[in-house]
Amino acid sequence: MRILLTILVLYSILWTCTSLQETGSFLHITDVFWRRRNDSCAKNLDECVKHSLNRLLQKSKEYHPSFVMWSCAGGRRAPTVIKLMKEVFKDMMILPALPPVKLPASKKNLAYYRNISNYFGNWLDNEARKTFWKTGYYTRFLKTPKDLQVIVLNTAFFCSFHVLSELDDPAGQWTWLVLELMKAKRMNKKVYLLMSATPDAFNISNDRTFVAKHYDRYINVVQTFSDVIKGQFGGYEDAEKFHLITDKAGNNV
Ligand SMILES: *[C@@H]1O[C@H](CO)[C@@H](O)[C@H](O)[C@H]1NC(C)=O
Ligand SMILES: *[C@@H]1O[C@H](CO)[C@@H](O)[C@H](O)[C@H]1NC(C)=O
Ligand SMILES: *[C@@H]1O[C@H](CO)[C@@H](O)[C@H](O)[C@H]1NC(C)=O
């Protein structure tokens, strides 16, 4: 009997920002997951996964992205996916954002961050590991384009499933974010925000969406630093959406 399994890469979006000359092009992979389906290569699942993903990544590479952002980086097949990405993208900068996972009570967040960071390897530098090992969020400065900084949030803290979402500043992430944005502004950096769970997921109200106070704060931060933040990227819900945020006067920011 054939096992019916196939790979589904939910949606991977290639952004080619020709209008932002200094930005070049980059790849944003929003989620990678596997869905049971009719497929003949399912005898050896690992091989099947590798084969399909490899095809997709090789195709993406043809666009010559200068860096790769990956929302929902982790999950059950993380070791396979990470290994393959390293093979395909070699020395390219890859920025992983953790998915909004609920750890079993027996598991500690600190161990989870440390463990997954071992798989990420040099995707995190020493500076990034300092915050990542404690909280799962971090920032990295890009070499190309050199004035770009990517701030990778752990938005799980803002979603109602997470016990810390009740706090005003869970895991100190708001304080940290605002400080990073102030520094970026002083240093004339442009910032991309990368995350997994997004602030407003299609008016879907589930426990993986932002609670109201964190939603409001997010909008407020983006409005306040609209001259610094040039893009916001996330991916968790199975749908596509572009969202423009306006300032209080109604101008796009
Ligand atoms: C699986 O897909 C193939 C090709 O698309 C098709 O010919 C076959 O009937 C399908 N098998 C099942 C069990 O759906
Ligand atoms: C470490 O992370 C990998 C990849 O997500 C996972 O497969 C493994 O079970 C984790 N190990 C521990 C001890 O948490
Ligand atoms: C989302 O929900 C808000 C509040 O319930 C409502 O005002 C708004 O029109 C909804 N937006 C969409 C796109 O459905």
Side-chain angles (χ1 to χ4, degrees):
M1 201 181 76
R2 268 199 326 212
I3 307 166
L4 306 178
L5 271 167
T6 193
I7 291 184
L8 192 103
V9 174
L10 171 57
Y11 50 96
S12 74
I13 307 171
L14 191 94
W15 299 81
T16 317
C17 294
T18 40
S19 57
L20 290 173
Q21 267 172 18
E22 70 276 26
T23 307
S25 68
F26 59 88
L27 187 70
H28 178 211
I29 295 172
T30 50
D31 202 352
V32 181
F33 68 84
W34 284 261
R35 179 187 275 176
R36 252 166 215 283
R37 253 201 183 172
N38 169 13
D39 190 74
S40 54
C41 81
K43 269 205 182 119
N44 184 337
L45 182 60
D46 274 338
E47 277 309 306
C48 179
V49 165
K50 257 183 95 168
H51 179 73
S52 304
L53 191 60
N54 192 33
R55 226 173 29 201
L56 178 100
L57 296 178
Q58 295 288 358
K59 187 114 198 84
S60 309
K61 206 179 151 194
E62 288 169 16
Y63 291 92
H64 304 291
S66 45
F67 63 99
V68 178
M69 298 191 286
W70 180 19
S71 296
C72 285
R76 276 198 309 139
R77 299 220 156 251
T80 308
V81 181
I82 292 169
K83 191 160 170 272
L84 207 55
M85 281 200 189
K86 286 186 170 168
E87 278 168 28
V88 173
F89 294 121
K90 299 214 167 65
D91 297 330
M92 203 176 287
M93 173 87 102
I94 300 184
L95 301 125
L98 291 179
V101 289
K102 192 172 204 163
L103 297 178
S106 60
K107 282 213 170 181
K108 295 274 183 291
N109 275 308
L110 294 186
Y112 167 66
Y113 301 140
R114 281 260 183 171
N115 174 45
I116 190 94
S117 84
N118 288 335
Y119 288 86
F120 292 157
N122 66 1
W123 291 354
L124 305 174
D125 60 7
N126 285 339
E127 210 43 45
R129 277 187 212 108
K130 276 187 201 162
T131 50
F132 188 90
W133 280 352
K134 283 186 238 150
T135 56
Y137 56 72
Y138 66 97
T139 187
R140 290 211 66 183
F141 297 88
L142 272 70
K143 290 203 186 81
T144 342
K146 69 174 176 7
D147 61 348
L148 189 66
Q149 175 180 0
V150 179
I151 296 182
V152 184
L153 300 172
N154 185 2
T155 46
F157 292 127
F158 303 150
C159 300
S160 56
F161 84 90
H162 204 294
V163 285
L164 292 186
S165 68
E166 286 175 19
L167 302 177
D168 285 340
D169 189 12
Q173 186 163 220
W174 286 122
T175 305
W176 171 81
L177 173 61
V178 168
L179 281 174
E180 284 299 329
L181 289 168
M182 282 162 58
K183 268 194 278 177
K185 193 179 167 112
R186 262 203 320 273
M187 290 159 65
N188 277 325
K189 295 275 180 195
K190 296 298 171 212
V191 167
Y192 281 177
L193 298 180
L194 175 66
M195 63 204 85
S196 293
T198 52
D200 174 18
F202 314 92
N203 269 13
I204 297 167
S205 182
N206 62 31
D207 68 354
R208 299 296 197 276
T209 55
F210 283 29
V211 299
K213 70 176 169 190
H214 295 306
Y215 176 83
D216 291 346
R217 188 137 182 202
Y218 182 88
I219 300 293
N220 191 280
V221 167
V222 170
Q223 288 175 331
T224 307
F225 291 95
S226 60
D227 52 340
V228 181
I229 299 170
K230 291 297 158 197
Q232 307 153 61
F233 306 90
Y236 180 66
E237 296 295 338
D238 304 354
E240 292 177 50
K241 182 180 185 180
F242 286 92
H243 196 143
L244 292 178
I245 296 178
T246 57
D247 64 17
K248 291 185 175 94
N251 304 309
N252 290 334
V253 296

